[in-house]
Amino acid sequence: MDPYSFEDFVGDPDVFFAEYFDKQPLLRTGALAGRLDGLPSVRQLDDILALETTPPSYLRVTKGGKGVPSGAYTRTVARGAALAEAVNAEKVYELFRSGGTVTWNSLQHVLPSARRLRDPFAEALACDAEVVLFVTPARTDGFSPHRDSIDVFVVQVDGTKTWRVWATPEHRRGDEGSYTPEELGDPVVEVTLRPGDVLYVPHGTPHAAAANSELSLHLSVGVEPRRWRHLLQDTVTALVEDDAFHGFPHLAEGEDTAAVAALTEKLELLRERLARLDVASEAKRLVAVGRARNGADRTREFARLAAVDTLAPATRVRRGAVPVEIGDSEAGRTALRAGGRQLAVPDAVAGALRALDSGRTVSAAEFFPGVPEARSLSAVRGLARIGVLEAVAGPPAGASPDAVPVADEKRK
Ligand SMILES: [Fe+2]
């Protein structure tokens, strides 16, 4: 299944960021038409309710615009010697049949399909993102006019839902709130979303939704990009990690104390470090930090290890992300330190690793010079398991005319 890209949801990202992001709502009719199979669905929702392990805090039921106390759809179960609250699926169904809306928070915690939906948002906005599923019975009010504190991307998956969205106010406080019909004029968007439609609602924008004649399921990806204050705090935090800011000051009150002089000195030093900062690489670091927050950039280690074990002799490999220190040679073996491990490898293997320092690639069969192919392959797999080597994505060199690795290109 092809992964979703941010573009699938918002169209041209340059246009989105210039004209819509944090500014005004965006409706993209049919953006995901025919591509909904990979998303959380009604059937998956039944499956996870049946697992009986969902903590009730993930579920919310609202009826007539009010939250239903969780006691109405939970039961107490024994877990070992302790008692725990668990969701009672039958009661959830009962509340739904009688007009309740069921909301499932942080669906990406339990469903890989929700994780797939979340990833392009976490990547493009360099922040964590939460997938919330809303399932509304036919002909209910759903949600009356309100504003959320986060940006929301709505994806209609099953049934239809009628939305009204009002203009994004110029001044927003970043809070939640509700509105009476008199407070709002005419909506700027009034639309019945169908499966595959996408709607972007910036934070603080009034909106309301109601289901029509059939059950409606929509997913909403909520994102809260970091504000300037969060980014600058992060930059300063990284700078003051330096040993120069490590000491314990004695802070005494008064205008002319040693503490004031010491603080002046440290502020001066911080100012100097800020002035010397390489802004382009700091921006890159902040993006990486944002993507890695709360697992937004989680590795798939089992999948990676399985791929290493099936690595073919023709696969091109290069140095991986794990740094290697190559030590001294003794009796034909060279000491290596990588990822907290101490190894001793044949000198030729250490030489082969050094040769890849410049970003070169080599086929797995030829990595270890002068030994049979199977032994070279085995050395490559061993080093790839600990992240010292990695396969270059794409077909092996020679498989097609345009598959020449970049490094080979450079050597021409
Ligand atoms: Fe909302």
Side-chain angles (χ1 to χ4, degrees):
M1 188 175 307
D2 288 345
Y4 296 105
S5 69
F6 188 58
E7 205 166 343
D8 292 335
F9 301 92
V10 302
D12 183 340
D14 290 339
V15 174
F16 173 74
F17 284 112
E19 292 176 23
Y20 297 95
F21 177 63
D22 201 29
K23 293 184 186 76
Q24 57 169 321
L26 168 66
L27 169 67
R28 293 197 67 241
T29 307
L32 289 189
R35 294 197 56 207
L36 295 168
D37 282 355
L39 291 181
S41 61
V42 169
R43 190 181 50 75
Q44 287 187 343
L45 194 59
D46 281 329
D47 287 344
I48 45 178
L49 262 183
L51 288 177
E52 297 180 13
T53 51
T54 309
S57 56
Y58 279 78
L59 270 187
R60 222 169 51 213
V61 180
T62 46
K63 221 172 145 180
K66 287 200 184 79
V68 175
S70 63
Y73 52 87
T74 56
R75 62 198 164 89
T76 307
V77 292
R79 295 232 164 96
L83 295 175
E85 285 300 292
V87 171
N88 182 333
E90 200 37 60
K91 293 218 170 123
V92 173
Y93 290 137
E94 223 172 271
L95 283 163
F96 184 78
R97 283 190 293 261
S98 63
T101 287
V102 174
T103 311
W104 194 297
N105 296 309
S106 298
L107 197 62
Q108 77 278 4
H109 289 180
V110 284
L111 275 188
S113 56
R115 191 159 203 99
R116 255 195 316 273
L117 169 63
R118 188 196 76 150
D119 286 351
F121 292 91
E123 170 89 13
L125 298 159
C127 64
D128 194 21
E130 181 190 14
V131 176
V132 182
L133 178 147
F134 293 83
V135 54
T136 324
R139 286 180 291 273
T140 47
D141 272 348
F143 293 96
S144 49
H146 67 280
R147 62 175 181 270
D148 296 314
S149 63
I150 54 171
D151 278 22
V152 168
F153 296 82
V154 174
V155 181
Q156 186 71 30
V157 176
D158 283 300
T160 59
K161 193 159 223 184
T162 300
W163 284 74
R164 283 173 299 151
V165 185
W166 286 265
T168 302
E170 209 167 308
H171 299 290
R172 290 166 288 163
R173 290 195 298 269
D175 60 353
E176 295 176 353
S178 54
Y179 303 87
T180 57
E182 302 79 55
E183 284 177 83
L184 299 163
D186 290 334
V188 290
V189 175
E190 188 155 15
V191 65
T192 297
L193 293 187
R194 293 172 203 291
D197 292 349
V198 173
L199 176 66
Y200 164 65
V201 184
H203 75 89
T205 304
H207 58 282
N212 296 306
S213 57
E214 70 258 66
L215 176 153
S216 160
L217 185 150
H218 81 260
L219 300 163
S220 125
V221 184
V223 292
E224 192 173 8
R226 288 166 297 160
R227 295 175 190 278
W228 277 120
R229 70 173 62 91
H230 302 134
L231 296 169
L232 294 174
Q233 272 165 9
D234 195 321
T235 295
V236 172
T237 302
L239 285 178
V240 298
E241 276 302 308
D242 190 277
D243 277 355
F245 299 96
H246 191 62
F248 276 119
H250 168 228
L251 286 181
E253 282 180 43
E255 279 182 20
D256 208 15
T257 60
V260 171
L263 182 58
T264 307
E265 190 193 310
K266 292 299 176 197
L267 284 172
E268 193 50 52
L269 184 60
L270 179 59
R271 207 173 290 144
E272 211 177 278
R273 297 277 165 96
L274 277 168
R276 272 186 5 219
L277 198 65
D278 175 346
V279 181
S281 60
E282 175 61 6
K284 208 169 150 192
R285 190 190 68 84
L286 288 169
V287 168
V289 168
R291 286 183 182 154
R293 278 168 103 212
N294 298 318
D297 198 17
R298 197 159 296 177
T299 56
R300 301 180 65 81
E301 188 61 8
F302 284 121
R304 192 188 73 80
L305 288 172
V308 166
D309 288 349
T310 54
L311 213 128
T315 309
R316 306 291 299 179
V317 294
R318 64 180 169 209
R319 287 284 294 273
V322 171
V324 187
E325 276 175 45
I326 302 181
D328 296 331
S329 163
E330 205 183 313
R333 295 184 83 79
T334 302
L336 283 191
R337 189 202 287 268
R341 288 181 181 80
Q342 299 269 24
L343 313 168
V345 298
D347 289 345
V349 167
L353 277 176
R354 274 200 198 96
L356 298 183
D357 267 350
S358 54
R360 263 193 62 216
T361 69
V362 65
S363 75
E366 292 164 344
F367 169 75
F368 190 167
V371 300
E373 184 179 292
R375 190 162 169 218
S376 179
L377 191 56
S378 158
V380 165
R381 284 181 182 156
L383 291 168
R385 273 184 208 110
I386 59 171
V388 168
L389 289 177
E390 67 180 17
V392 178
S400 70
D402 58 356
V404 179
V406 179
D408 286 358
E409 199 78 73
K410 270 195 219 141
R411 272 183 294 160
K412 275 182 193 163

